Amino acid sequence: MGALPVRSSRLVDLNLLTVRISSNLEHFDAYAYFSRDAPAGTAPDHELVCVDLDRDPYDTEVLRALSDRTLRAKRFRSGYYLNHIFGDPAYLVTEPGRSYVFGRRLERTVWPYFVKRILTDFAVDHGYLHLKAGGFTFDDGGATLLVGPNAGGKTVFLTQACLDGARFLTNTHVLVRDGEAHAVPSAVRVRRAPQFEELIDGHGLTPHLESGDFVAAPELLFPGEPADRGLVRNIVITDFSPERPRGFERITAEQAGLFLGLFADGVVNYGLKDDLLAHHGGDLDAFTGSLAAMRDQLTALVEGARCYRANADMLDASVRGAVLAELASGGGPHTAANPVGP
C-alpha cells in the first residue's frame, strides 16, 4: 500500500495475541474498547491501519480497484460492516498479517468486525475455540463462562459476581483450548447509574457505539487484577426474565452444546463463515476441517463442565450468594447440583 499517514497508534494486548491499530486521526475512539497495552517492542500478530477519508481524502475509484474481492469487502463498500453495524462505504484491503480500511467513522469497524475476525483467524490457526462469552474465576482458578441471548443478563451476572469477590476474566470474547479459557482483555459497558456517575464523569469515559452506555476498563470497576486464564468448571446460560419462574438449575451437556453452538460460537454469532472460508483461501477441505475441530472442541468443553441455566436476580444479595456458592463448590460435571431457589 505504500506510506500512509499515521498520526496515532496503539499496540493492544489481547492476551494470546497482540494487534497494532493505527489511524490517521490524532484521537481515534476505537482505542477506548481495549483495556491493555502490549509491552513496547512486541511484534504484533496482526496490524490494522484505519484511514479516515475526511482527514485525508483518497480517490474512491482507486480504493475500489484496490479493495478485496471477498464478500466482506463487497459489503464494506455498500456500508454494511457486520450484523447490525452500518455506516458510510468503506474499502477493505487485506494482506498477510495486515488489514487496511478506508472510510469514515472507522471506530464502527474495529471492535464490531476486525477484532472478531482476527480472533477467529487466530483461533483456527492455533487450535482454539472462539466463543462469545463473559467469564470470571474463583480463588482456586476455576472459571465460569456466561453465555446467553442479547439482553439476557450476562453483564449484570458478571458485574455482580465480580463485585462480590469473584475475579474478572473476560467481558465478551474468550479463547478455549483443552478445557482452559483464555481471556481477551477489553473494556466493559457501563450504564449511567448512580453507582457509576462519578466514574463516568471523572474519567471522561467514551460512549459506546450502539447505546447510551459507556466503556470502561475492568480495572476501574472491580477490585484486583483481572485473570488471564482459568480451567472451565461451569458454563451458565443466562436468560433473565422477571415474567418467568426464577431458578438456577443444572442442564445436560447436550443441551448446553446445542445452545452454545448458536449463541456462543464466534463464527455463527458474528456471521463470519464467509470470512473463515476466505481465510482458508476457498479450500473446502481446510474450511470443513476447521469447522469439525470447533465442533469437537465445543463438545469436549460442555462435557467437561457443569452446565446451568439461570433465571436468577443477581442484584438480590441472598440469591447471588447462593448462586456463587454453588458455582464455587467442587465436583465434576456429573455431580448433583445443590438446589438454588429463586
Side-chain angles (χ1 to χ4, degrees), residues 168-296:
F168 180 87
L169 177 68
T170 193
N171 179 47
T172 306
H173 298 285
V174 65
L175 298 176
V176 180
R177 188 171 70 183
D178 298 330
E180 187 170 40
H182 298 264
V184 176
S186 71
V188 179
R189 279 194 192 191
V190 176
R191 290 182 173 87
R192 187 174 278 283
Q195 65 267 37
F196 295 129
E197 289 283 355
E198 183 177 349
L199 176 71
I200 291 170
D201 296 330
H203 289 271
L205 299 184
T206 300
H208 190 272
L209 283 174
E210 305 167 53
S211 64
D213 301 343
F214 296 81
V215 291
E219 290 87 346
L220 293 175
L221 302 175
F222 311 121
E225 287 294 316
D228 278 343
R229 60 185 57 82
L231 290 174
V232 179
R233 174 188 295 152
N234 310 300
I235 297 172
V236 179
I237 296 173
T238 67
D239 190 13
F240 180 71
S241 173
E243 290 75 30
R244 294 201 307 271
R246 306 290 178 86
F248 183 78
E249 57 187 342
R250 290 284 289 273
I251 60 173
T252 67
E254 181 181 14
Q255 288 176 300
L258 291 170
F259 188 92
L260 267 64
L262 291 178
F263 284 90
D265 179 277
V267 174
V268 173
N269 252 267
Y270 301 126
L272 296 174
K273 60 184 184 298
D274 294 288
D275 302 83
L276 182 59
L277 182 60
H279 178 69
H280 287 302
D283 185 323
L284 182 64
D285 291 337
F287 175 68
T288 55
S290 290
L291 296 179
M294 290 188 289
R295 177 198 60 203
D296 293 344

Side-chain angles (χ1 to χ4, degrees), residues 129 288-303:
L129 177 65
T288 55
S290 290
L291 296 179
M294 290 188 289
R295 177 198 60 203
D296 293 344
Q297 287 173 318
L298 183 58
T299 299
L301 175 66
V302 296
E303 289 181 348

